């Protein structure tokens, strides 16, 4: 196994010169994302960027390698806005319940099989967040799904702050009874109420720090408070994981109370709180709409998932993206989109919800999420329409590099 | 020499004074000794044929032709005939089986603790080391703590261990054992953050307690920063920290070093590898060769009894013999800035050496004797050169 | 003569050769595959059923003339049997060595392929006296094996680096496992090749393995005593078992004779009644269906004992019942089905002619005395004699009931008879003594001890007992130190000093490439280098009973050799070339 990374590196090195040379993919059906489809289109990439995109009459630069993609469909590389990577033990810092300043980037293992699986499914960028064991888990980041050095894969560092509602943060904590307290699990909130209290206290402290800063300089710099302050100032997106109706309402309520905007993640029971979502103008990262069981290690958070939730959201004009989330039952991202189509979502909406929409939401749409001149050459060649159940990602390109054969 | 004095006068005084008594009692220390052998490897780049060196007060005073004739005449001569003499092996960070005393369980972050306080000069494990060719070792706080503390250079003496340098390196750890599920940090994320916060504070100015002060002085270059890290993510995190705070780390363990090799080279990190085992895959056995080709300094850590075989296996997998011997002697000494004290037989270094019937990297060579500070602590006496199988070994070739 | 014939056969296509094989059993002694592939590649596969040819026959076969002789010239040749030869030459013709000597003094065939290594060292192919290569975890951890298990039945190329024995210079390996079973089964000798291994003909059950140790963990002395007693108890009741087998064998012989008489009587009767040839037609039917379909290749077991089945001893077991009846041709007794068919024909013809049709099939069931299954032969013998006088039909004899098969006891009998060596793994001195005692008490002709690290204390006893030892795990350092009191690295030197023949073995497939280093470690711990070299070549060959074919560079042995660039025991010596039976199994790039 040790051999393979080197092999990978060697391959990358070997392919780099080839990458500089332009490659044209012609005769393909192009679904550029956020744009109408182009039949018999031409996509020209070179130097890791998209050089040209258009109809059959698009000029192909001299010397470019030409790949005939007749009958195939090309989409932008998919963007998974909530992605499980690496082992959860290293993504959950149990030392404290509120750890806003921890960065998941520090523990990202590019060799983890979850990345290989994502690549094989046509996903080229993912939003990774710390685990859901903490009330405030820490800073998420957006990375591409291929690379050897996590830092080199980063599209956006500090992309989000994860807040978790529900039973997961309190799940393993125990109340103190008698003596023999030798474990850190003896002091956390053990209830939903306690979880909410932790969030509220954290933001209260941050707010107090903000107000105090206005006057005198603070005694000691607190990285956690700093992060929360950025959320309160609207400089950092909060992503609140909430599944059941009560948690969704709580998430919206606290956000309103402290005046920050939050994205709702997972949102299993979104169909119950549709009106509140409309009122709050909140974006939803819908986790694994196909799943038939509730996600989360605690289980039992919320009612049964409704397959039609996704259509309800669309009908009411609630902005949403489709993710694989933390549900262990989740299918590949493109299959989740297919599922949404089967439940009444339009194909265009579904595809946008796994490409350009999440890219915009995460603030990486300048670089990826759609096929446009100047953007990164992250794209997927599908054997047929990607929303067809029989579709296969035949080749996946990240920065122009075909990554399926690597590692 | 200058380095040693303040230490010996300092906190390690009880041991030192005892050792000093031994020095006075032992006849071999009172008098100059000249050791001769067919081949004397003073350092990997200084090899004497039919060589000799003079030991005075437990240290190498002169070597080869530098030995004054007068002194040579007066000295006791120990002749090892056809044997090969090499510097004693230096064992990089180890807890010597004393994890209980070297891992402060109540706190994860204890950079200001000193391993030397837990050093037991009468420890049994010390007595076993000379048989494996180890003449000095870096006693280090356990990798169970995120910041374990400050390590020391100690030697197994004739009867009891002695301290050579009381404060050497700062030991940090990002390995799995440091992420204890019963106390923070429980995750790599938290561990990295703990170190990052501390380094940030250390770099910021004068604030913080004694723990931060230790980090600050280490960042200032007073001592090497050693980070235990095995996996790709841990190594990447360690290298991140090194890059952010501008130091050249020594990475201990480094099982997946191959994956971050370009960064290791770029950041001038050094490696202390786990001992090689014969059942390992060829790719793992080739790692030392790769490192040598990339110019990364490395040595073998872990267990004393596996030092020599690790080097042998590395040579079998393609490592240059010189580089392998260097990894056992000079490199660890240099990585921890102890090369003026141990790791070679240059003038001024401790007279720690091993006698083999042939090249120590051939298993056919028998280990004849081990000397520490000029005193034989293992094996057969000289003057009766007993390469018992030298003739036979010659026959086999 | 044989060469002539094979030369005329082999140019024909493989299909034709296969037909020839089917038609002429005599040809099975010749292996057609190598000749079809004069270039040394996939000639020998483990699946090759012809691997069972005796080595002596291989030397004479035509392949030798087809492959160009191979000549290895090297700076130093270490024949093991004899002093090293500077500027030596080894000449291999076919798969055997035909000459070893100094360059210039040995005649080099003109058409030979010459490999020259001016600074190289040539050694005999290494013999690993214990390895678990080609086995998988299920076999290694199987505690339910017993003496009947043969590892040979479960060997295959595992497809990992551990299978690269040939590249490590090992041309012969004895495959065994250290399973937790008390009686582990029978190990097999294999010849590792470039892409797998081939079985060593006739050595697929080369020794029986027992264990008198709980391994490396601490154990109580009493527990160890009990273990010795447990192993000793395996040999209880073996003589009774042998008697059962012999009785059965006798009974079968008797049955064969009576059945022949029975058939002959009816044949005679039929011939007498129908002289025109109706009987001939009946007799011809089974023969016409013909071909040697009946007796397959000899089954596992010793040819001297009875077999529970009408198939008898098969092709190899000459001098058995069929020879007792000179009238029979081999075709007449080939298959039970055919016999039944012939019998049916005869019986159908019977009732027409004798005046009293009923007695012929009837008497058996009617006479209760003759139904006794315990004494079918005696019951049949008396009336048969009487019937002869009156020319009555002899009763059809009943096949004697076989005693239940017990492969473990059969294996242990073979051990007692000296047909199968016994290997006992014993570590501590008391375990070793226990093994030696069992060897003495049970008069085991060929005993081999494994591990025997306690030899410190009892090397002399081992020497007196004339027992040899196979040592693994002797490389101190990289192994866990299991034995505080015993230093495995020093044991080889001690055994050598006591005059005990011993082999150094890897024990584990992943250590195969370190076999020379194991020997080197022993040298570093006081073993003379020539003895160390012998311990990985000739001595293991002797222990495995194949020293006439390999283990040293001597005329007449297989062309198994290893070429290294430096002395074998040097840490950085590299293997340049490995020949096995004269074929190149490895060549450094």
């Amino acid at each position: 196994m040790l051999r393979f990374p080197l092999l990978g590196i060697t391959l990358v090195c070997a392919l780099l010169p080839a990458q500089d040379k332009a490659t044209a993919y012609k005769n393909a059906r192009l679904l550029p994302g956020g744009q109408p489809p182009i039949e018999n289109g031409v996509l020209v990439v070179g130097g890791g960027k998209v050089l040209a995109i258009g109809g059959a009459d698009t000029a192909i630069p001299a010397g470019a390698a030409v790949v005939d993609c007749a009958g195939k469909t090309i989409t932008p590389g998919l963007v998974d806005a909530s992605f499980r990577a690496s082992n959860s033990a290293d993504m959950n810092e149990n030392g404290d319940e509120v750890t806003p300043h921890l960065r998941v980037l520090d523990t990202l293992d590019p060799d983890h099989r979850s990345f290989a699986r994502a690549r094989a499914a046509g996903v080229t960028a993912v939003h990774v967040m710390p685990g859901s064991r903490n009330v405030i888990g820490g800073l998420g980041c957006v990375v591409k799904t291929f690379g050897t050095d996590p830092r080199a894969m980063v599209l956006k560092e500090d992309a989000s702050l994860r807040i978790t509602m529900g039973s997961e943060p309190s799940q393993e904590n125990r109340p103190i009874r008698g003596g023999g307290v030798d474990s850190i699990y003896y002091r956390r909130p053990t209830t939903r109420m306690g979880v909410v209290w932790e969030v509220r206290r954290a933001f209260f402290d941050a707010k107090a720090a903000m107000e105090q800063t206005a006057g005198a300089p603070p005694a000691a710099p607190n990285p956690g408070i700093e992060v929360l302050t950025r959320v309160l100032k609207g400089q950092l997106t909060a992503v609140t994981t909430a599944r059941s109706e009560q948690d969704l309402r709580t998430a919206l309520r606290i956000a309103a109370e402290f005046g920050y905007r939050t994205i709702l993640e997972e949102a299993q029971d979104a169909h119950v709180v549709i009106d509140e979502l409309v009122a709050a103008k909140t974006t939803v990262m819908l986790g694994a709409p196909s799943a038939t069981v509730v996600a989360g290690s605690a289980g039992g958070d919320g009612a049964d998932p409704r397959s039609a939730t996704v259509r309800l959201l669309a009908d009411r004009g609630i902005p949403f993206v489709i993710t694989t989330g933390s549900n262990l039952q989740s299918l590949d991202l493109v299959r989740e989109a297919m599922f949404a189509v089967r439940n009444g979502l339009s194909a265009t909406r579904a595809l946008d919800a796994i490409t350009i929409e999440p890219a915009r939401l995460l603030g990486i749409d300048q670089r990826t999420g759609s096929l446009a001149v100047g953007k990164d050459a992250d794209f997927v060649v599908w054997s047929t329409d990607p929303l067809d159940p029989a579709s296969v990602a035949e080749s996946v390109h990240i920065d122009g590099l075909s990554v399926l054969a690597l590692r | 020499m200058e380095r040693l004095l303040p230490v010996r006068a300092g906190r390690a005084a009880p041991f030192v004074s005892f050792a000093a008594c031994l020095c006075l009692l032992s006849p071999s220390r009172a008098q100059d000794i000249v050791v001769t052998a067919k081949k004397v490897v003073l350092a990997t780049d200084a090899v004497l044929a039919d060589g000799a060196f003079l030991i005075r007060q437990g240290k190498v005073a002169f070597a080869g032709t530098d030995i004054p004739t007068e002194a040579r005449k007066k000295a006791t001569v120990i002749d090892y005939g056809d044997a090969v003499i090499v510097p004693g092996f230096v064992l990089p960070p180890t807890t010597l089986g004393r994890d209980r005393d070297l891992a402060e369980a109540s706190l994860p972050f204890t950079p200001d603790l000193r391993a030397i306080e837990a050093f037991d000069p009468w420890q049994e494990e010390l007595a076993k080391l000379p048989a494996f060719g180890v003449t000095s070792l870096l006693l280090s706080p356990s990798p169970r703590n995120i910041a374990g503390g400050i390590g020391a250079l100690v030697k197994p003496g004739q009867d009891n261990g002695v301290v050579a340098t009381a404060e050497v390196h700062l030991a940090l750890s990002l390995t799995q054992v440091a992420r204890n599920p019963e106390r923070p940090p429980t995750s790599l994320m938290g561990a990295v953050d703990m170190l990052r916060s501390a380094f940030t504070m250390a770099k910021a100015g004068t604030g913080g307690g004694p723990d931060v002060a230790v980090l600050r002085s280490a960042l200032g270059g007073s001592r090497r920063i050693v980070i235990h890290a095995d996996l790709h993510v841990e190594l990447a995190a360690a290298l991140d920290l090194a890059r952010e705070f501008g130091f050249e780390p020594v990475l201990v363990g480094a099982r997946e070093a191959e994956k971050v090799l370009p960064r290791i080279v770029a950041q001038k990190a050094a490696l202390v590898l786990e001992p090689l085992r014969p059942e390992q895959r060829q790719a793992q056995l080739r790692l030392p060769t790769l490192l040598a080709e990339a110019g990364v300094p490395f040595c073998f850590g872990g267990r004393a009894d596996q030092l020599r075989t690790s080097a042998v296996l590395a040579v079998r997998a393609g490592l240059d013999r010189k580089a392998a011997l260097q990894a056992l002697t000079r490199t660890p000494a240099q990585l921890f800035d102890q090369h003026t004290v141990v790791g070679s037989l240059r003038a001024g270094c401790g007279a720690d050496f091993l006698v083999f019937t042939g090249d120590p990297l051939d298993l056919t060579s028998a280990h004849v004797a081990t000397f520490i500070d000029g005193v034989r602590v293992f094996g057969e006496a000289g003057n009766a050169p007993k390469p018992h199988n030298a003739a036979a070994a010659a026959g086999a070739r | 003569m044989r060469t002539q014939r094979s030369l005329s056969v082999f140019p024909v296509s493989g299909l034709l050769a296969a037909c020839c094989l089917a038609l002429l059993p005599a040809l099975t002694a010749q292996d057609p595959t190598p000749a079809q592939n004069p270039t040394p590649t996939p000639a020998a596969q483990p699946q090759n059923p012809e691997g069972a040819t005796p080595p002596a026959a291989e030397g004479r076969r035509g392949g030798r003339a087809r492959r160009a002789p191979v000549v290895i010239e090297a700076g130093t040749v270490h024949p093991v049997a004899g002093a090293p030869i500077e500027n030596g030459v080894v000449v291999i013709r076919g798969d055997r060595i035909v000459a070893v000597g100094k360059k210039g003094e040995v005649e080099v065939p003109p058409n030979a392929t010459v490999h020259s290594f001016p600074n190289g060292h040539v050694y005999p192919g290494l013999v690993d006296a214990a390895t678990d290569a080609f086995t998988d975890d299920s076999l290694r951890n199987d505690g339910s094996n017993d003496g009947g298990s043969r590892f040979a039945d479960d060997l295959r190329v595992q497809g990992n680096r551990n299978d690269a024995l040939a590249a490590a210079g090992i041309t012969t390996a004895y495959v065994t496992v250290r399973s937790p079973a008390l009686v582990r089964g029978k190990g097999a000798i294999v010849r590792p090749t470039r892409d797998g291994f081939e079985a060593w003909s006739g050595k697929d059950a080369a020794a029986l393995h027992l264990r008198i140790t709980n391994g490396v963990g601490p154990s109580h002395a009493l527990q160890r005593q009990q273990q010795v007693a447990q192993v000793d108890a395996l040999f209880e009741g073996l003589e009774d078992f042998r008697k059962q087998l012999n009785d059965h064998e006798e009974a079968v012989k008797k049955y064969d004779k009576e059945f022949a008489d029975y058939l002959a009587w009816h044949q005679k009767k039929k011939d007498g009644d129908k002289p025109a040839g109706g009987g001939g037609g009946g007799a011809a039917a089974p023969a016409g269906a013909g071909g040697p379909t009946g007796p397959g290749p000899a089954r596992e077991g010793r040819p001297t004992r009875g077999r529970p089945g009408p198939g008898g001893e098969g092709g190899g077991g000459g001098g058995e019942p069929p020879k007792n009846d000179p009238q029979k041709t081999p075709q007449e007794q080939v298959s039970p089905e055919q016999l039944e068919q012939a019998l049916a024909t005869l019986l159908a013809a019977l009732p027409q002619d004798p005046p009293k049709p009923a007695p012929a099939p009837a008497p058996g069931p009617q006479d209760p005395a003759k139904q006794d299954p315990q004494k079918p032969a005696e019951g049949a013998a008396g009336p048969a004699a009487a019937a002869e006088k009156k020319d009555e039909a002899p009763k059809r004899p009943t096949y004697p009931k076989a005693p239940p098969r017990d492969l473990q006891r059969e294996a242990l009998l073979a051990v007692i008879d000296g047909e199968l060596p016994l290997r006992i793994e014993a570590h501590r001195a008391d375990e070793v003594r226990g093994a030696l005692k069992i060897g003495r008490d049970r008069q085991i002709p060929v005993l081999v001890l494994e591990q025997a690290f306690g030899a410190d204390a009892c090397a002399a006893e081992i020497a007196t007992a004339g027992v040899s030892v196979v040592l693994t795990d002797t490389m101190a350092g990289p192994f866990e130190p299991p034995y505080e009191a015993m230093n495995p690295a020093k044991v080889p030197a001690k055994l050598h000093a006591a005059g005990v023949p011993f082999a150094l073995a890897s024990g584990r497939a992943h250590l195969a490439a370190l076999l020379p280093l194991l020997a080197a470690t022993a040298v570093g711990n006081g073993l003379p280098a020539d003895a160390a070299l012998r311990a990985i070549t000739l001595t293991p060959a002797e222990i495995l009973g194949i020293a006439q074919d390999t283990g040293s560079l001597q005329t007449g042995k297989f062309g198994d050799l290893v070429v290294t660039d430096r002395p074998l025991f040097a840490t950085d010596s590299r293997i340049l070339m490995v020949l096995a039976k004269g074929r190149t199994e490895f060549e450094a790039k």
Side-chain angles (χ1 to χ4, degrees), chain A residues 288-320:
Chain A
S290 75
T292 52
V293 297
V294 184
S297 50
D301 267 9
D304 282 347
R306 293 278 175 84
S307 54
T309 304
V310 62
R311 186 169 48 82
L312 281 174
L313 293 176
D315 288 350
R316 296 293 300 270
I318 298 166
F320 69 92

Side-chain angles (χ1 to χ4, degrees), chain A residues 90 93-94 101 103 151, chain B residues 179 186-188 193 196 240:
Chain A
D90 269 328
E93 172 53 47
N94 292 336
H101 56 295
R103 297 191 293 180
R151 307 256 158 203
Chain B
R179 298 167 348 229
T186 64
S187 66
L188 180 59
D193 176 69
R196 183 176 285 130
D240 278 348

Side-chain angles (χ1 to χ4, degrees), chain B residues 222-238:
Chain B
S222 68
R223 58 183 91 254
R224 267 321 261 271
I225 297 175
V226 173
I227 307 181
H228 292 262
D230 284 325
L231 306 179
H232 185 173
V233 270
E234 296 161 6
L235 290 164

Side-chain angles (χ1 to χ4, degrees), chain A residues 92-148:
Chain A
N92 288 304
E93 172 53 47
N94 292 336
D96 198 352
E97 202 61 21
V98 177
T99 53
H101 56 295
L102 293 194
R103 297 191 293 180
V104 75
L105 184 58
D106 286 331
T107 183
L108 219 50
D109 181 0
D111 293 335
H112 197 267
R113 60 184 183 283
S114 57
F115 283 109
R117 192 189 148 190
R119 285 197 297 270
V123 177
T124 59
V126 292
H127 176 216
V128 189
M129 289 180 288
S132 52
R133 273 285 287 127
N134 280 6
V135 177
I136 299 183
L139 295 162
C141 64
V142 186
V143 294
K144 293 207 175 178
T145 51
F146 177 77
T148 47

Side-chain angles (χ1 to χ4, degrees), chain B residues 132 276-282 285 303 305-306 308-317 319 321 357 359-367 388-389 392-397, chain C residues 76 78 84 86 121 123 160-161 475-481 510-511 513-514 516-530 566-573:
Chain B
F132 301 121
L276 301 183
R277 296 184 311 278
E279 66 268 26
Q280 280 175 320
R281 296 187 169 271
Q282 196 61 23
L285 296 175
R303 289 168 41 171
D305 57 343
Q306 300 183 349
R308 188 177 163 206
T309 37
S310 291
V312 165
L313 289 172
V315 168
R316 195 151 180 88
L319 184 66
R321 276 177 190 251
T357 53
D359 190 320
L361 297 173
D362 274 327
L363 290 174
T364 42
S365 313
H367 181 191
H388 53 270
N389 54 17
R397 300 189 177 193
Chain C
T76 320
H78 304 259
E86 298 293 324
H121 294 253
Y123 297 88
N160 55 28
R161 76 210 154 95
M475 193 167 157
F479 296 96
E480 295 294 313
H510 62 244
L511 300 179
L514 296 187
L517 288 195
L518 283 174
T521 308
V523 174
N525 284 282
L527 183 71
D530 50 352
R566 294 194 180 86
L568 186 63
F569 292 162
T571 299
D572 44 3
S573 88

Side-chain angles (χ1 to χ4, degrees), chain B residues 10-382:
Chain B
R11 304 176 78 147
F15 315 130
V16 172
S17 59
F18 192 86
C21 291
L22 276 183
C23 293
L24 295 176
L25 291 173
S26 161
S28 55
R29 283 210 137 184
Q31 201 185 354
D32 289 358
I33 306 165
V34 168
V35 180
T36 62
K38 188 161 182 214
K39 184 177 172 191
V40 177
V41 182
L42 297 175
T44 42
D45 50 356
V47 181
L48 305 177
D50 288 316
F53 55 94
L54 186 139
I55 303 169
R56 182 171 286 168
Q57 296 298 328
K59 296 193 181 306
V60 178
F62 306 101
T65 49
D66 296 344
I67 305 176
T69 336
E70 201 58 22
R72 186 167 194 153
K73 267 184 203 158
K74 274 192 266 173
T76 318
V77 175
I78 302 180
D79 178 33
Y80 272 104
D82 287 341
V84 175
I85 291 182
V86 295
F89 301 156
V90 181
L91 183 63
T94 169
T95 54
L96 218 56
R98 287 296 172 98
D99 260 24
R100 272 190 59 186
D101 263 351
L102 285 164
E104 180 52 50
S106 62
L107 294 167
F109 190 77
T110 55
D112 46 340
L113 300 194
R114 307 194 321 154
I116 199 71
E117 327 280 12
F119 175 54
D120 172 9
W122 300 97
Q123 197 182 339
E124 259 177 52
E125 281 84 351
L126 277 176
K128 292 180 188 164
L129 295 179
F132 301 121
V134 174
T135 57
S136 53
L137 64 137
L138 286 140
L139 189 70
S140 182
S142 155
R144 285 166 197 280
N145 277 6
I146 300 300
I150 297 168
L153 183 74
V154 300
K155 290 182 178 187
Q158 192 173 24
D159 297 307
N160 62 320
V162 293
V163 177
T165 314
E167 294 191 356
V168 182
H169 61 279
L170 172 63
L172 309 178
S173 171
L174 291 173
T175 53
Q176 188 62 50
V177 290
R179 298 167 348 229
N180 185 340
E182 293 297 316
R183 58 125 176 82
T186 64
S187 66
L188 180 59
M189 215 167 48
V192 173
D193 176 69
M194 179 172 272
L195 289 179
R196 183 176 285 130
S197 313
F199 274 125
T200 309
M201 212 187 291
K203 211 159 192 185
T206 52
D211 46 357
V212 177
V214 169
L215 257 61
R216 187 174 295 130
S217 95
L219 280 181
S222 68
R223 58 183 91 254
R224 267 321 261 271
I225 297 175
V226 173
I227 307 181
H228 292 262
D230 284 325
L231 306 179
H232 185 173
V233 270
E234 296 161 6
L235 290 164
L239 289 167
D240 278 348
L241 287 172
R243 187 161 55 187
E244 282 169 44
F245 297 98
F247 60 92
E248 292 167 8
V250 177
L251 302 172
V252 185
R255 208 178 307 146
E256 298 188 347
E258 204 182 333
K259 295 186 179 179
V260 286
L261 195 52
R263 292 190 65 189
I264 288 175
V265 176
Q267 292 187 235
K268 291 184 185 160
L271 297 182
V272 178
L273 301 176
E274 285 180 351
L276 301 183
R277 296 184 311 278
E279 66 268 26
Q280 280 175 320
R281 296 187 169 271
Q282 196 61 23
Q284 285 163 299
L285 296 175
R286 287 272 302 169
L287 184 57
T289 315
L290 276 182
L291 293 174
E293 281 164 7
V296 177
F298 67 92
C299 53
F300 298 106
R303 289 168 41 171
D305 57 343
Q306 300 183 349
L307 273 187
R308 188 177 163 206
T309 37
S310 291
V312 165
L313 289 172
V315 168
R316 195 151 180 88
L319 184 66
D320 178 45
R321 276 177 190 251
K322 228 167 140 180
L325 188 60
Q326 186 133 339
L328 294 178
T329 56
R330 177 107 180 148
T331 311
Q334 213 152 22
L335 285 187
F336 297 91
D337 296 326
Q338 300 301 310
H339 51 284
T340 53
V341 187
V342 294
S344 70
L345 292 174
R346 294 186 189 281
C349 282
D352 305 340
F353 58 92
L354 314 174
V355 186
F356 285 92
T357 53
D359 190 320
L361 297 173
D362 274 327
L363 290 174
T364 42
S365 313
H367 181 191
V368 179
T370 301
F371 282 72
I372 294 177
D373 290 336
V375 181
R376 185 168 49 83
V377 291
F378 166 82
E380 300 162 14

